[in-house]
Amino acid sequence: MTNNEISKLQALLKITFDSESTTNIQYGEVVLQKVNVLLELIDSLATESVKIAGWKTWSEPIVFKFCYHTCSLIHLFNGTELPVKFEGAFLKVLDEPSIIIILRTILENYLTFHYLYIDNISDEEKVFRLLVYRYSGLKQRSEFDIINTSKAKEKQIKEGEQVQDLKDQITQSNLFKSYSSKQRTEILDGKKARLFNSWAALIKKSNLNTHFFKNLYGYKSNYSHSEFISIMQIKDGGYRHSDANTRSHHLLMIVQLLVCKTIIELKAFFPTMESKYSSFEQTMQTEIEYLHSLSINDGF
């Protein structure tokens, strides 16, 4: 066997072991290793003084937000203490409802990143999407009426000026003019941050593997909105925490797939990251690439 074949076999054996033979806490550490790769790739833009177009810089905080949520989700697998004692110690539970809610946020964060930067469209369209995305967020915040400090009011005025500047850029775009009159009004109302794409449509655009992600978003939404299914499952119980727990193990696999998909897409978007990526152990690279292939339709 060649060194590459040996490395691939080692990676596949490790992935199989991690997914089937580890506890949640152990598996969480495996996922955090992939998050570290992602963070180091982002950091390489600064350490290597890479010059990037202004519109691309917003990809960095989007990916950081993705990493924050992922780390918070993994830490929840260590257990959550409730302020009530059971058998002499505070009762510790696996807060699966919160894990599921954060997973939904992680998925939305990834889909936003893909929609703005990775989707197979021209840079002109990506710039336009980002203009609308930024405009929508700032416009909604500039209209908040609970402003009670001079500093906050000053910031609101400044953001109002930014909103007008973004609006001018949007209305001057030929892409904006391609929408109907009704659609243009909706865009300028600031309620179409992702234009007219539903989350389901964005999942389809991102080519996420339907085997893992089919119906995932709708199901997780039940927890975000406290629908009956989420309440019913809490009533059924079974949330006692144990260090050896493997409950919701599959959710860690889902998160790991999203992290690896983000790594591969990010380094393709920023080619300078390839040298940093190549510095990681070959087994790690093989794991990431294999898991990325699992994350997409027809990956194999």
Side-chain angles (χ1 to χ4, degrees), residues 48-217:
E48 297 173 16
S49 301
V50 179
K51 292 184 179 180
I52 58 178
W55 67 276
K56 292 184 178 182
T57 61
W58 290 102
S59 64
E60 296 177 80
I62 291 175
V63 174
F64 280 132
K65 182 173 180 289
F66 174 86
C67 293
Y68 296 166
H69 292 315
T70 300
C71 292
S72 292
L73 180 147
I74 290 169
H75 290 318
L76 281 174
F77 278 96
N78 292 317
T80 299
E81 284 190 349
L82 301 180
V84 59
K85 288 192 174 182
F86 180 77
E87 297 179 348
F90 285 111
L91 180 63
K92 185 180 280 191
V93 299
L94 177 67
D95 185 7
E96 191 177 54
S98 294
I99 289 170
I100 290 173
I101 289 169
I102 295 175
L103 176 57
R104 177 178 182 260
T105 302
I106 290 170
L107 177 59
E108 288 182 357
N109 203 131
Y110 165 74
L111 292 173
T112 299
F113 166 70
H114 186 279
Y115 163 78
L116 292 173
Y117 291 104
I118 307 303
D119 198 7
N120 188 26
I121 58 175
S122 68
D123 282 357
E124 179 187 10
E125 291 177 273
K126 289 177 181 177
V127 169
F128 179 73
R129 284 182 176 185
L130 182 63
L131 283 173
V132 173
Y133 177 70
R134 292 173 59 200
Y135 170 79
S136 177
L138 286 176
K139 187 174 191 303
Q140 290 182 48
R141 189 163 75 172
S142 70
E143 294 173 350
F144 291 165
D145 56 8
I146 308 176
I147 303 295
N148 51 20
T149 68
S150 58
K151 187 175 181 179
K153 289 178 180 178
E154 182 180 336
K155 184 175 182 180
Q156 188 179 46
I157 292 171
K158 185 176 181 180
E159 288 190 349
E161 294 171 352
Q162 292 179 313
V163 167
Q164 185 59 51
D165 179 59
L166 290 168
K167 181 179 180 180
D168 291 342
Q169 292 182 62
I170 290 169
T171 56
Q172 291 166 16
S173 169
N174 288 327
L175 291 168
F176 178 73
K177 296 171 185 175
S178 69
Y179 288 95
S180 69
S181 176
K182 180 182 178 182
Q183 288 174 322
R184 291 197 297 268
T185 298
E186 290 181 283
I187 291 171
L188 296 180
D189 281 343
K191 302 300 192 318
K192 297 295 177 181
R194 294 162 189 81
L195 293 171
F196 301 93
N197 293 283
S198 65
W199 290 114
L202 292 180
I203 289 174
K204 188 174 182 180
K205 283 178 182 288
S206 70
N207 197 33
L208 283 168
N209 191 324
T210 52
H211 175 73
F212 293 107
F213 293 92
K214 185 179 180 182
N215 300 323
L216 177 69
Y217 185 79

